[in-house]
Amino acid sequence: MAYSKVWMITAAVMLGIVASAQSEETIYRMCVPQKYYQDCLTLLKDPSEAGIRMECVAGRDRIDCLDMINHRNADVLASDPEDMYVAYHTKNSDYKVISEMRTKDDKDAPFRYEGVILVKKNSNIKSLSDLRGAKSCHTGFGRNVGYKIPITKLKNTHILKVSMDPELTATERELKALSEFFSQSCLVGTYSPYPETDRLLKKKYPNLCALCEKPEQCNYPDNFSGYDGAIRCLDKGKGEVAFTKVQFIKKYFGLISGAKAEGNAADFEYLCEDGSRRPVTGPACSWAQRPWTGYISNTDSVKGDEKLHNLQNRLQKFFENGLHAQNKVAASHLLINENAVYHSKPQAVDPKEYLEKAGYKDVIERDGSALRKMKMCVQTDVEMQKCNTMRRAAYSRDIRPEMECVQERDCILAVKNNKADMVAVRANNYKDARDVKLKPIVYEAYDENDVYVAVVEPVLTKDNLRSLPISFDAQNERAHKAADYLNKLRGMSTCRSTPTSEKNIVIVSAKDLEKYKNKQLLCPSMDKKPVSEWKECNCEANLPVAVFIRDSMTRVEQETLKHLFVSLSDKFGKKGKITDVFTLFGAFKNGQTDVLFDDDAVEFVTELKNENTSERIYQSLNCEPNTTH
């Protein structure tokens, strides 16, 4: 009886321990960029999520999420290979790639896609060196398979020589190398974000567009561009070699179920790096691969098989839930789409090993033929953190030249004295920069309707409008400058004064004009106009943050730095393609605002957009005694 009692007590204790362990089962933290945090919560609210035991935590962006995983403030992140490259280059880190998001069509393929060289069976091209002088077909300028991989691999094998001419930009050096290496090509795309530069480059290297369906356009859409277009350029055009990927070769030649053949597979072969050939009906020989998108974690979360499998199983449930969620957009923001399949890695893999196995590390590290790193000067510790975060994101996403961040007490003098190449300058320091012969190359720009206007009561006369005090937010620099500008136009002192509480003349953002439908605008001409005419009738006078460089820099250096910041804006600005990777404009961390750049900015432009915003007008608004017109 005593033994039975002991056994029952022991069993009860054991059950309690098990129950306690189950109740304390780890809840894994999925890190998502702040802008997609609600999407993550939406997926977890789905009734079918029972048993997933995951929670969403918000990082500023993917780079911040990687840092949160490294510092154990999160456990896992859905990431692209470029994010894995950032992880691999993060100091004192122990990241692990633990699973992949594959496609249904290629669920058994080790890579997302394989870059291949396709030639005609009767071609005399027997080796990579035989590609010299050939007529080439590319997916498009700047693309992985059709541009980055060929340049990277041909350079690494010393077959393609890229000029280091300092009189040419990095982009032009590559285009010149391809133009001299291939006799004719179809390489569509936008060679420069500046339309005139793009036009001049295509005029200077016309053979790069000679094989296109529309050589004079040399841009999308073109029947000989893209993955299938490059094959078509070889098959139907005059091309002799095509750079594309395996999946599209299978589709083009009808080698997969349901695909209608557009060409005869028997007439084509893969060219391998070792000079051998393979029929396209069999296994491909690829010379570089793009790894799958996947989930990345840290060693503590996956130490040992049990921990690894627990997290993988939890992720699979989360993933499957995302696949069947009603909100497909929310799922896609977390890199889950309807054609996706979850695949667990047998073992957790270091990001470096993951990328090198695919030959993709070399592709990311392609130098872009830049002559040197360009140094950006910052002053505060938080600016240094943001600059380095921007540098990490930019390099992984093929934005060149590579940046380096340097911290100095006086950045304007540092650029003047050649200790740095560029600095972000605010309005009140433009004159200091100009005085030491620096000049702006790009400016921040805001949303079109993010301009400051003067709203007035329709009953006010011209005499009223020339004398009444102005109401504005004294803490808002742009609103304050608009008030100063209006005062100067009215012949009044530009010295700053306490704004009035009266609402006869109010400085507001055009974004808020919905509240002032029954009011009118006061224009710089002192005329009144409807609130709908804010584009032409505004008082915006503050200068945006601009990036300044030495006036003595060479033309190529100046164009290179312009291209750098326009590319940053194109990728990471508020109108950018991958704004979730890095937050170029917006709060940086811990509530720190306007770090390096204004949070409200949306992009970089090469010229000031608003005719009121000029250095001459801004400098004239310095506090000075009353002067009449």
Side-chain angles (χ1 to χ4, degrees):
M1 185 75 173
Y3 175 80
S4 176
K5 258 186 185 178
V6 169
W7 184 88
M8 288 172 71
I9 291 169
T10 303
V13 169
M14 292 300 292
L15 284 170
I17 291 171
V18 170
S20 175
Q22 287 176 340
S23 67
E24 293 174 8
E25 185 183 355
T26 303
I27 297 178
Y28 290 103
R29 298 162 297 177
M30 166 80 75
C31 191
V32 294
Q34 179 66 52
K35 66 182 295 185
Y36 297 142
Y37 179 61
Q38 288 300 324
D39 291 324
C40 187
L41 294 179
T42 297
L43 294 188
L44 283 181
K45 280 178 188 171
D46 191 296
S48 64
E49 70 85 25
I52 293 180
R53 298 186 65 76
M54 293 192 75
E55 68 178 22
C56 307
V57 295
R60 180 192 60 247
D61 44 44
R62 286 198 224 168
I63 304 291
D64 191 37
C65 277
L66 284 172
D67 291 340
M68 289 174 68
I69 289 171
N70 191 31
H71 296 133
R72 305 314 194 247
N73 296 319
D75 302 305
V76 67
L77 167 72
S79 56
D80 286 327
E82 289 77 10
D83 304 319
M84 296 171 191
Y85 182 85
V86 174
Y88 153 50
H89 276 282
T90 300
K91 289 181 180 178
N92 306 316
S93 62
D94 58 354
Y95 296 101
K96 296 292 180 183
V97 180
I98 60 172
S99 48
E100 297 166 334
M101 289 175 253
R102 297 184 174 184
T103 58
K104 290 176 182 176
D105 291 342
D106 298 289
K107 64 180 186 298
D108 298 320
F111 306 108
R112 178 175 167 186
Y113 58 71
E114 299 177 81
V116 292
I117 308 173
L118 187 67
V119 295
K120 292 176 180 174
K121 194 170 185 178
N122 60 4
S123 168
N124 291 323
I125 298 172
K126 307 292 184 185
S127 66
L128 295 186
S129 59
D130 289 339
L131 293 174
R132 183 182 298 280
K135 296 177 179 180
S136 60
C137 302
H138 305 259
T139 54
F141 172 78
R143 294 175 65 167
N144 275 323
V145 162
Y147 185 81
K148 295 179 191 175
I149 290 175
I151 287 178
T152 301
K153 295 297 182 177
L154 291 173
K155 276 179 66 177
N156 289 350
T157 52
H158 307 293
I159 293 169
L160 180 71
K161 305 292 183 185
V162 178
S163 165
M164 296 306 283
D165 183 350
E167 295 301 311
L168 302 179
T169 63
T171 296
E172 185 171 354
R173 285 196 288 274
E174 289 186 343
L175 292 172
K176 182 175 186 284
L178 290 174
S179 176
E180 292 172 348
F181 187 78
F182 295 114
S183 59
Q184 290 184 316
S185 304
C186 179
L187 181 65
V188 306
T190 303
Y191 294 178
S192 168
Y194 314 110
E196 182 60 14
T197 304
D198 180 62
R199 185 187 68 79
L200 290 173
L201 286 172
K202 287 170 181 173
K203 184 179 178 182
K204 190 171 181 179
Y205 305 107
N207 66 320
L208 294 179
C209 303
L211 297 184
C212 297
E213 180 190 21
K214 303 168 189 169
E216 69 289 347
Q217 173 183 294
C218 199
N219 215 327
Y220 306 101
D222 192 287
N223 206 32
F224 293 154
S225 71
Y227 297 119
D228 55 345
I231 306 167
R232 195 174 296 113
C233 166
L234 174 63
D235 183 22
K236 313 290 186 189
K238 297 177 181 177
E240 296 171 321
V241 58
F243 300 98
T244 186
K245 63 183 187 181
V246 173
Q247 292 93 323
F248 280 81
I249 287 175
K250 290 178 179 177
K251 288 177 183 176
Y252 187 90
F253 294 115
L255 301 176
I256 55 176
S257 177
K260 184 180 178 182
E262 193 175 331
N264 184 0
D267 295 337
F268 297 87
E269 290 181 327
Y270 295 117
L271 174 67
C272 308
E273 277 193 83
D274 61 6
S276 62
R277 300 265 204 98
R278 291 187 187 178
V280 296
T281 51
C285 53
S286 57
W287 61 337
Q289 300 82 24
R290 178 173 173 80
W292 292 105
T293 291
Y295 289 106
I296 194 166
S297 185
N298 56 48
T299 298
D300 283 349
S301 298
V302 297
K303 191 179 289 180
D305 288 347
E306 185 177 354
K307 271 193 168 185
L308 172 63
H309 295 151
N310 280 345
L311 178 52
Q312 287 176 332
N313 290 340
R314 210 74 60 80
L315 282 172
Q316 184 157 10
K317 286 182 181 179
F318 178 82
F319 184 87
E320 293 293 335
N321 189 60
L323 280 180
H324 300 106
Q326 286 189 338
N327 193 328
K328 303 300 181 189
V329 174
S332 70
H333 288 161
L334 303 187
L335 307 184
I336 302 171
N337 61 69
E338 290 177 313
N339 189 39
V341 175
Y342 180 87
H343 176 83
S344 290
K345 302 290 290 178
Q347 288 91 32
V349 184
D350 289 334
K352 179 175 184 283
E353 180 186 340
Y354 188 72
L355 295 169
E356 285 183 340
K357 186 177 180 182
Y360 201 66
K361 177 174 162 288
D362 287 348
V363 175
I364 291 177
E365 290 177 348
R366 165 183 152 269
D367 64 8
S369 303
L371 294 178
R372 64 181 176 89
K373 294 179 183 179
M374 289 293 187
K375 296 178 181 178
M376 181 157 193
C377 187
V378 299
Q379 290 179 281
T380 66
D381 290 344
V382 71
E383 285 178 345
M384 188 67 170
Q385 289 172 32
K386 181 167 182 179
C387 183
N388 274 317
T389 303
M390 178 166 68
R391 175 188 59 77
R392 294 159 71 199
Y395 190 80
S396 72
R397 298 287 171 167
D398 195 42
I399 295 174
R400 301 293 187 271
E402 186 177 357
M403 296 171 63
E404 185 177 336
C405 304
V406 295
Q407 192 169 357
E408 296 283 344
R409 184 174 295 176
D410 187 330
C411 278
I412 288 175
L413 283 181
V415 174
K416 172 187 179 287
N417 295 329
N418 211 21
K419 291 182 180 178
D421 299 298
M422 57 220 175
V423 56
V425 176
R426 296 194 175 273
N428 58 336
N429 293 124
Y430 270 45
K431 187 176 183 303
D432 295 338
R434 289 286 194 185
D435 286 347
V436 295
K437 294 191 166 42
L438 304 192
K439 73 173 190 178
I441 51 165
V442 293
Y443 304 87
E444 290 177 343
Y446 305 101
D447 277 327
E448 186 181 38
N449 65 343
D450 189 2
V451 293
Y452 280 79
V453 294
V455 175
V456 299
E457 293 291 344
V459 296
L460 294 178
T461 66
K462 279 207 171 186
D463 286 342
N464 296 144
L465 295 173
R466 286 190 176 277
S467 59
L468 285 170
I470 303 171
S471 171
F472 61 93
D473 179 0
Q475 304 303 311
N476 184 316
E477 182 68 16
R478 292 173 65 197
H480 214 149
K481 275 298 170 191
D484 288 347
Y485 182 47
L486 192 55
N487 275 337
K488 184 174 179 64
L489 293 170
R490 298 192 301 169
M492 301 173 69
S493 171
T494 56
C495 289
R496 298 186 173 190
S497 56
T498 304
T500 182
S501 58
E502 298 171 18
K503 299 298 180 182
N504 294 306
I505 304 175
V506 186
I507 301 293
V508 299
S509 169
K511 284 185 170 183
D512 300 322
L513 283 176
E514 187 68 23
K515 304 173 189 174
Y516 301 94
K517 285 180 179 177
N518 300 324
K519 310 288 186 182
Q520 289 183 312
L521 299 181
L522 176 60
C523 305
S525 63
M526 293 296 113
D527 293 322
K528 289 188 293 184
K529 291 193 176 178
V531 292
S532 59
E533 298 193 28
W534 49 265
K535 280 186 186 178
E536 290 74 32
C537 181
N538 64 75
C539 302
E540 183 74 45
N542 196 49
L543 292 167
V545 172
V547 176
F548 277 71
I549 64 171
R550 284 182 302 284
D551 192 27
S552 59
M553 278 187 159
T554 67
R555 180 193 64 83
V556 169
E557 286 175 323
Q558 293 183 33
E559 286 302 309
T560 297
L561 288 175
K562 248 189 227 183
H563 187 269
L564 168 65
F565 282 93
V566 171
S567 298
L568 284 168
S569 174
D570 186 51
K571 292 277 176 72
F572 307 130
K574 287 178 184 169
K575 298 179 179 179
K577 299 180 179 76
I578 43 175
T579 56
D580 59 320
V581 171
F582 168 66
T583 305
L584 184 62
F585 305 113
F588 181 60
K589 60 190 302 184
N590 301 329
Q592 292 160 319
T593 58
D594 300 326
V595 178
L596 285 182
F597 313 116
D598 281 348
D599 292 352
D600 291 336
V602 296
E603 63 181 338
F604 285 122
V605 294
T606 55
E607 293 180 354
L608 289 167
K609 285 189 170 182
N610 192 307
E611 61 183 25
N612 295 343
T613 49
S614 75
E615 292 180 55
R616 180 186 59 79
I617 290 176
Y618 181 86
Q619 300 305 340
S620 76
L621 300 180
N622 288 334
C623 182
E624 44 189 50
N626 180 20
T627 55
T628 55
H629 283 336

